[in-house]
Amino acid sequence: MLRRLLEEGQRVRLTIDGKPVTACVGDSVAAAMLSCGLRYCRTTPISGEKRAPYCMMGVCFECLVTIDGINNRQGCLIEVREGMRIDTQLGRRTVE
Amino acid sequence: MRSTADVIVIGGGIHGCSTALHLALRGLRSLVVEKDYAGRHASGVNAGGVRQLARHLAEVPLSVASMELWERIGDLLDDDCGFESHGQVLVAESEAELDQFRARVAQLRLQGYTHEELIDRAELKRLIPAVSDACPGGVVSRRDGAADPFRTTQAFRRKAIALGATVLEGVRVTGLERRAGMWRVSSSAGAFEAPVIVNAAGAWAARIAASLGEPVPLEVMALMLMITDRVPRFIAPVVILRGRKLSFKQLANGTVLIGGGHQGRPDRDANTTEIDWHKLAESARTVWELFPAMRGARIVRAWAGIEARMPDDIPVIGPSATAEGVYHQFGFCGHGFQLAPGLGALMAELIATGRTNLPIAPFSIARFAPAKGANATPDSTPDLMRTTPGGQA
Amino acid sequence: MSAGANPYDVAIVGAGPAGLGAAAITAGAGLTTLLLDENPTPGGQIYRAVTTTPLKERSILGGDYWAGAALVAEAQASGAEIVGGATVWSLDASRELAASWAGTSRFIKARRVILATGALERPFPIPGWTLPGVMTAGALQTLLKSSGLVPDGRLVLAGTGPLLWLFAAQLLRAGARIEALLDTTPWANYLRALPHVPAFAISRYAAQGLALRREVARQVEVVSGVTRLRAEGQGGLASVAFAARSGERRLMADVLALHQGVVPNVNLAMAAGIAHRWQPAQLCWVPVLDAAGNTSIDGIAIAGDGTGIGGALAAEAQGRLAGLAAVAAVAPERLARVPDRQLLAQALARAERGRALLDQLFAPPRWSRLPEGDTIVCRCEEVTAGQLLEAVGIGAMGPNQAKAFLRCGMGPCQGRLCGLTVTELISKARGVAPAEVGYFRLRPPVKPITLAELAAMAHTQRAVAAVVRE
């Protein structure tokens, strides 16, 4: 859905739903997901509708994802790190 | 001046609305005067516990009577109020605590009450698999449960109106006057008259009582609650503790409500409360220890309603000791929600017939009367329900 | 990083132009100053990633953006303790903050608190606005600034307001393609704006704004007077439909950027108990402030767009003025070390010139603020406009009853994306003013916190005992 204007940035390796991908240092998790071609990052706990990042500034909570096993994190506020494990969220999240 | 109703109920919380409904069922017309909207404070924002468990002994007969109404709440109100009966469990955190609970259950048995049952570690684990293994047992009241407090208060309000009661919201009572056997109630929307007044004004009830020459040592409270985001269903009963302050329950939508008695900072005049996070951190700590599975859950909101507590932890119920035609129904901090359906019926019976079979002597306002010779100083405030505007709507 | 000087002389929330300006003044005067921001790097939304953006070609984002670099550098050199990735989730009347960073929450006390929480984009509740592929223009601009990312595929921009045009120009300069810009500015707004033209003409907005419009219109199809806008698709955006003078149209689209202005981000201020009022010209809630920027709570000031929308330069001037007021309150003997108040007030007046015209011209139309039927109002709890109106019908007189009936506004965003819509819809349904309808009663935490993080803040006797034993 998004493309990078510049390809020279320093890369980090991470996984999204188990699939290895790369992103640039300084990317937020939400930016990395969108740049890797993901159309949505979660389904809602109520109707199961697909949702994607909407505001990119921490107010809408649409970009909630699971990062390194911790769910409901705001992907737009967290920068990617080498080796990060990102997972899309389906509906309600388990407590552990 | 026309007589506007048989009874004027001051306060549109769940108690005022329940009394109005039961008065209507007895053919008496009531006028409910509420300064905000029905359920704005404690009635609408409490934890929704429908609990006979661990009640003050004096309250047990009332609570048991009220439970009968809860079990047919849908028939009474045309709304199930979100009431679900999955039991309430008082968890013992130590063997010593379990011994105290054992004595309490035995005492209830002697008085003929069987709703509380002592349970061992195995039954506790069966009822609440997620509870910490360190807990040796507890007490269960199996018919208890929880309901949606705002919805319940609204349902009482709606049904009372459907049966002929009038509910005025956003109207403040400013004064009371007795004239020729009638009460004249001044308000921000003019004056009303009725032979009988019910004081169900919650945290503001002390001002009404004081203006009648019977001041009470009412403490304004703000019990805090917090709630998590949705998590998969993992616990059915409501859990309460005795030693540490905690009540804990999962709602049907998956969110988990955490409360239990920590106080925020109420401002009765501003109509607001402030959250004390140092204390809520204690609640979080208790949950963290008792339910390890909850550690990753997120707290999404916290709040507190303004309510009234009496020094002996039981409410004021029954006729005024100083003024004819006035009945009190307040001081329920933390334990009034379950009592409301039954108490409304009791109040209506008391007003209509002058008597009730339920033991209400312990709740008499006379217990706070000053010793003979002491001077009572009535609160002569012109605006009994005063609040200052400017707090967030 | 720990909060080093707790309690602080000054705690500032938000490192956008207002917060940076305030910190530069207070720390520059030697006051211990803590500046917290939720984003990893300072700059706020307007100067987002100004220290880290991969877009070093300055012409793309433009001079107004790069001006932020000097302000960030000034604040960084001032001695203020600047913490990124820090979420302030509570503030009370005793000026105690609770903030989370690096996985830990802590309480912070300050003698003065300056809220510089800025603005967020106004809700744009059209049919289909929850579909993946629909984002705010500000969101896409953030992706451009912080990661050099541009939409790939067919992009449609829709709405009204200066940011929409600026973002379109930035995209075009970056070499991106825009299928169409759907301008929803109602024709009537031009008439309403007329009386403000003289003041506007001499403001910095006039020449800039017109130049941007020309730059965009040369390269993109601009459709004016757009109404009945909706996003369509199953599980993701497929097309954008709308009505214009030429009739009903439908454009195939992969990304739809929505924008209809920005409004103050009031959640933290309201949760702290600060009194707010309805601002009819900007159709939003603003804090009630005295001439010095003080709120209804002693020692808490608000500066920048959080007080009402004024733009980056006005925000910076307000921030510096709030900083100055803090110095005057905490250490008046140091006032000699700060800039002259008069100069700052003049800068603020200059920056505010022309705002009245922008407010009138870009006032969002009723149809895009007041949704109907199945259109979602509350994204978190998936509550529709129709459900909200039903609740009003059975006695929900205000947002708080609507919340209790429907859970509307109870999700994690805590009403940020639905609050204004709810107030305005109830106002319309009841035929009373928004000020009378009111707003959600907001409470901390203004952002969710994990139970574990909160539990770790407990000073239980056991925890205290453990420390004493050590």
Side-chain angles (χ1 to χ4, degrees), chain B residues 184-214:
Chain B
R184 186 172 197 269
V185 176
S186 327
S187 81
S188 55
F192 308 102
E193 277 195 353
V196 174
I197 288 176
V198 173
N199 175 17
W204 291 263
R207 291 188 177 146
I208 307 279
S211 76
L212 300 168
E214 45 187 351

Side-chain angles (χ1 to χ4, degrees), chain B residues 273-306:
Chain B
T273 56
E274 193 172 69
I275 300 297
D276 183 339
W277 284 102
H278 295 268
K279 291 181 188 160
L280 281 182
E282 302 284 344
S283 297
R285 178 89 200 179
T286 307
V287 175
W288 191 85
E289 288 173 10
L290 225 53
F291 296 100
M294 282 295 293
R295 291 175 184 182
R298 277 180 165 65
I299 306 298
V300 295
R301 268 174 300 120
W303 66 90
I306 300 179

Side-chain angles (χ1 to χ4, degrees), chain C residues 7 38 49 76 83 116 143 150 223 311 345 360:
Chain C
E38 211 170 22
Q76 283 173 332
V83 183
L143 288 162
V150 293
V223 185
Q360 289 291 335

Side-chain angles (χ1 to χ4, degrees), chain B residues 230 273-274 278 297 299-300 302, chain C residues 93 96 381 414 443 449 451:
Chain B
R230 290 176 163 83
T273 56
E274 193 172 69
H278 295 268
I299 306 298
V300 295
Chain C
E96 183 176 79
E381 297 289 330
Q414 303 193 349
R443 293 291 177 85
I449 37 161
L451 185 101

Side-chain angles (χ1 to χ4, degrees), chain A residues 13-80:
Chain A
R13 286 166 298 179
L14 33 100
T15 65
I16 299 178
D17 290 334
K19 194 180 130 211
V21 296
T22 66
C24 282
V25 171
D27 280 352
S28 65
V29 166
M33 294 177 86
L34 292 169
S35 74
C36 291
L38 263 82
R39 288 283 285 178
Y40 69 97
C41 60
R42 68 182 187 110
T43 59
T44 66
I46 298 160
S47 69
E49 213 178 70
K50 289 172 182 164
R51 293 285 175 89
Y54 179 74
C55 78
M56 291 301 293
M57 59 173 285
V59 295
C60 77
F61 290 78
E62 295 290 14
C63 63
L64 296 178
V65 289
T66 301
I67 299 175
D68 293 332
I70 302 173
N71 58 62
N72 279 337
R73 307 212 65 197
Q74 288 186 275
C76 74
L77 292 177
I78 296 165
E79 288 190 352
V80 292

